[in-house]
């Protein structure tokens, strides 16, 4: 019998999540196999490897990989393990090189993965020695609007099919400038002593904002922002476990007092940018880009926060109660120095690990994880039923989370369902 992860009772408007999913080691290992080995996982942005030979080393689903652009300009995701005896072939975090060298026995590989150097090869190996069979393992990768994902399952559906209805929300992010978007230098790295799924839930949860982030709300209110409407918008469940929370901008942005205080030069730049978006995409898409903020959750572990700045945030589950987070700022290639300074300040001030919001969130997630010690027999279920009785949900509802959990449950019980269908 498979595990009952959710109770999805539409007749009674009740949705419960089994708290074992946050604490159990066996379930964690099953997640590795059923989700992270099967789904498209975000690796990086094409702008991070602009030049042939550029690379970044990253951990994706617990696996060390090299994210690189090879000598021919092709994007590669290579497993960072020597095919001889397993050592890392690249120990730097980023750089530019033509080959990767294992320092253990000096085997060397092109940045496309081919094994090109084996010391003492002729007198050490028989004629049957096959270099080709010992290339670095190339992980399947595809990109959408510059966002690069990999998949450890060669039989998985295409990335575009996987993204489904989430593509339009990635479009709103990727199409903010005709010149293109780029990841800005620098990575925010931190860890949270909580289950990885809690960060996804929190990132599209408008319910907690008015309470958990009161200090920040008081600050921007003092700066002249009208926050009386709250996060006025909608939470949406997208197919494939993806979800979005969107609301009116510029709520939550600590900009100078109010728009009437902007300089004529700044107003002119903003008007020109809006006119460019209208010319490129039409009024409606320009409005969605310029006037609407959004938090997009791409199943299972990518969040795009297009709010106080555009933030790419992903996390790697290490244990049932521990995850490691990486975050990057994304901005238009052609923005001027002042705009970029403000973007980076907003990125750090609100979403940074020492900013207004993130420490609040970390504290909440870690205390939830502590609370999960009271689980299994005594308090087995979390209630995620808010707003289940209505079709259109405000951002304070939990429709967004239910999208994730329904997909999670289907993948975690996929093998049992396949057997049942076979035996039917």
């Amino acid at each position: 019998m498979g595990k009952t992860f959710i109770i999805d009772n539409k007749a009674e408007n009740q949705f419960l999540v089994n708290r074992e999913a946050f604490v159990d080691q066996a379930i964690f290992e099953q997640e590795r196999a059923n989700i992270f080995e099967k789904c498209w996982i975000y690796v990086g942005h094409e702008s991070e490897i602009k030049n042939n030979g550029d690379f970044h080393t990253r951990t994706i689903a617990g696996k060390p990989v090299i994210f690189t652009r090879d000598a021919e300009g092709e994007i590669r995701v290579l497993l960072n393990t020597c095919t001889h005896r397993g050592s890392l072939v690249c120990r730097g975090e980023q750089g530019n090189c033509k080959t990767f060298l294992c320092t253990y026995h000096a085997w060397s590989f092109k940045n496309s993965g081919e094994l090109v150097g084996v010391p003492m090869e002729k007198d050490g190996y028989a004629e049957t020695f096959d270099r080709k069979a010992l290339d670095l393992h190339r992980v399947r990768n595809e990109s959408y609007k510059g966002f690069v994902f990999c998949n450890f399952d060669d039989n998985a559906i295409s990335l575009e099919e996987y993204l489904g209805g989430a593509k339009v929300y990635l479009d709103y992010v990727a199409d903010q400038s005709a010149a293109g978007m780029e990841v800005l230098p620098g990575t925010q790295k931190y860890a949270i002593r909580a289950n990885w799924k809690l960060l996804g839930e929190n990132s599209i949860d408008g319910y907690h904002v008015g309470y958990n982030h009161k200090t920040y709300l008081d600050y921007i209110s003092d700066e002249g922002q009208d926050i009386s409407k709250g996060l006025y918008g909608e939470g949406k469940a997208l197919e494939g476990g993806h979800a979005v929370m969107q609301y009116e901008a510029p709520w939550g942005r600590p900009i100078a007092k109010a728009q009437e205080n902007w300089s004529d030069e700044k107003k002119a730049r903003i008007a020109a940018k809006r006119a460019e978006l209208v010319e490129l995409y039409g009024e409606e898409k320009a409005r969605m880009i310029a006037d609407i903020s959004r938090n997009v959750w791409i199943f299972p572990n990518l969040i795009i926060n297009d709010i106080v700045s555009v933030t790419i945030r992903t996390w790697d589950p290490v244990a049932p109660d521990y995850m490691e987070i990486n975050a990057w700022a994304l901005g238009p290639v052609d923005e001027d120095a002042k705009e970029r300074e403000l973007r980076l300040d907003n990125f750090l001030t609100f979403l940074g690990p020492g900013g207004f919001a993130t420490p609040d969130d970390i504290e909440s997630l870690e205390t939830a994880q502590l609370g999960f010690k009271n689980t299994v027999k005594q308090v087995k279920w979390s209630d995620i039923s808010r707003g289940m009785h209505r079709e259109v949900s405000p951002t304070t509802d939990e429709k967004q989370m239910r999208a994730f959990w329904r997909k999670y449950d289907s993948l975690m019980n996929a093998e049992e369902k396949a057997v049942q269908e076979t035996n039917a």
Side-chain angles (χ1 to χ4, degrees):
M1 284 289 291
K3 177 75 67 175
T4 301
F5 292 105
I6 63 173
I7 293 175
D8 189 1
N9 187 344
K10 296 180 177 65
E12 299 293 330
N13 293 316
Q14 182 187 54
F15 194 98
L16 305 178
V17 171
N18 190 334
R19 290 185 175 183
E20 286 185 73
F22 298 103
V23 297
D24 187 89
Q25 181 65 35
I27 291 174
F28 179 79
E29 297 299 331
Q30 188 182 349
E31 290 171 346
R32 284 272 196 225
N34 289 31
I35 296 175
F36 288 92
E37 292 284 342
K38 302 289 185 182
C39 293
W40 287 96
I41 309 297
Y42 179 74
V43 180
H45 195 268
E46 290 181 7
S47 63
E48 296 179 87
I49 48 172
K50 295 178 182 177
N51 306 306
N52 294 357
D54 285 353
F55 72 87
H56 290 265
T57 53
R58 295 203 165 134
T59 301
I60 307 297
K63 303 175 189 293
V65 305
I66 307 168
F67 173 49
T68 186
R69 191 180 294 271
D70 71 19
E72 303 301 320
E74 185 172 347
I75 293 174
R76 304 280 190 176
V77 178
L78 307 170
L79 290 188
N80 191 1
T81 178
C82 183
T83 49
H84 175 223
R85 298 275 284 280
S87 293
L88 299 179
V89 299
C90 183
R91 294 191 289 179
E93 288 193 4
Q94 66 182 81
N96 182 286
C97 67
K98 294 180 178 179
T99 58
F100 302 112
L101 177 69
C102 176
T103 56
Y104 194 3
H105 298 94
W107 281 33
S108 58
F109 303 83
K110 284 185 179 179
N111 54 18
S112 54
E114 290 96 333
L115 174 61
V116 291
V118 178
M120 299 182 288
E121 179 181 350
K122 288 186 178 180
D123 63 351
Y125 295 93
E127 293 181 0
T128 54
F129 181 71
D130 183 7
R131 274 193 184 187
K132 190 68 177 175
L134 294 166
D135 290 347
L136 295 180
H137 181 84
R138 301 176 180 90
V139 183
R140 179 183 173 189
N141 76 86
E142 296 178 17
S143 65
Y144 182 78
K145 294 289 183 79
F147 296 95
V148 181
F149 295 73
C150 74
N151 198 311
F152 298 103
D153 180 4
D154 291 334
N155 298 315
I157 61 175
S158 70
L159 174 62
E160 286 216 26
E161 185 179 353
Y162 179 84
L163 291 173
K167 287 188 296 183
V168 66
Y169 297 98
L170 289 180
D171 291 346
Y172 295 146
V173 174
D175 296 341
Q176 292 184 14
S177 171
M181 301 289 282
E182 63 180 353
V183 167
L184 281 52
T187 306
Q188 293 180 354
K189 296 184 176 183
Y190 53 101
I192 303 176
R193 295 189 180 280
N195 188 270
W196 65 275
K197 299 181 286 296
L198 290 174
L199 181 55
E201 289 182 342
N202 180 81
S203 299
I204 54 169
D205 174 18
Y207 193 21
H208 79 286
V209 174
Y211 316 104
N212 203 38
H213 301 312
K214 187 177 184 303
T215 300
Y216 183 72
L217 298 184
D218 290 344
Y219 159 60
I220 62 174
S221 180
D222 291 343
E223 287 292 302
Q225 282 286 336
D226 179 8
I227 60 172
S228 59
K229 289 183 179 180
L231 289 178
Y232 181 74
E234 183 180 358
K236 291 186 175 182
L238 308 173
E239 68 267 29
H242 316 307
V244 64
M245 180 176 74
Q246 60 184 18
Y247 42 95
E248 291 182 3
W251 188 94
R253 298 182 182 180
I255 52 183
K257 293 297 179 182
Q259 294 187 15
E260 57 266 24
N261 293 331
W262 291 352
S263 67
D264 290 341
E265 178 191 0
K266 184 169 186 176
K267 290 178 182 178
R269 285 203 314 271
I270 292 172
K273 174 61 71 174
R274 180 180 287 277
E276 175 188 274
L277 293 174
V278 171
E279 183 178 355
L280 285 170
Y281 310 119
E283 288 283 355
E284 179 56 23
K285 184 172 178 179
R287 184 187 73 83
M288 290 299 297
I289 291 174
D291 299 336
I292 302 296
S293 294
R294 74 207 95 246
N295 302 42
V296 188
W297 187 1
I298 304 298
F299 187 96
N301 67 327
L302 169 66
I303 290 288
I304 308 291
N305 290 308
D306 185 6
I307 47 174
V308 296
S309 68
V310 185
T311 301
I312 302 170
R313 178 188 281 171
T314 188
W315 53 95
D316 188 54
V318 177
D321 59 353
Y322 187 80
M323 62 180 131
E324 295 178 343
I325 298 92
N326 288 284
W328 304 269
L330 185 76
V333 171
D334 60 345
E335 70 183 348
D336 66 26
K338 289 183 179 178
E339 290 168 342
R340 180 147 294 188
E341 182 181 357
L342 178 61
R343 179 181 299 277
L344 288 171
D345 183 65
N346 286 353
F347 175 51
L348 182 66
T349 301
F350 188 70
L351 292 166
F356 274 101
T358 300
D360 294 339
D361 291 330
I362 291 174
E363 178 73 9
S364 294
L365 303 192
E366 291 188 341
T367 55
Q369 193 68 40
L370 290 172
F372 289 151
K373 294 180 184 296
N374 299 309
T375 192
V376 185
K377 290 184 179 180
Q378 289 81 16
V379 190
K380 185 174 182 178
W381 304 94
S382 289
D383 188 293
I384 307 184
S385 304
R386 186 174 174 83
M388 201 169 174
H389 61 291
R390 50 183 161 232
E391 196 66 32
V392 178
S393 291
T395 58
T396 51
D397 279 354
E398 294 165 338
K399 177 188 285 187
Q400 310 91 285
M401 295 77 163
R402 292 192 290 272
F404 169 85
W405 281 107
R406 287 177 177 129
K407 182 64 174 179
Y408 176 93
D409 180 68
S410 71
L411 290 176
M412 292 291 281
N413 285 308
E415 292 180 8
E416 183 183 2
K417 290 177 182 177
V419 170
Q420 290 174 349
E421 291 173 1
T422 301
N423 294 335

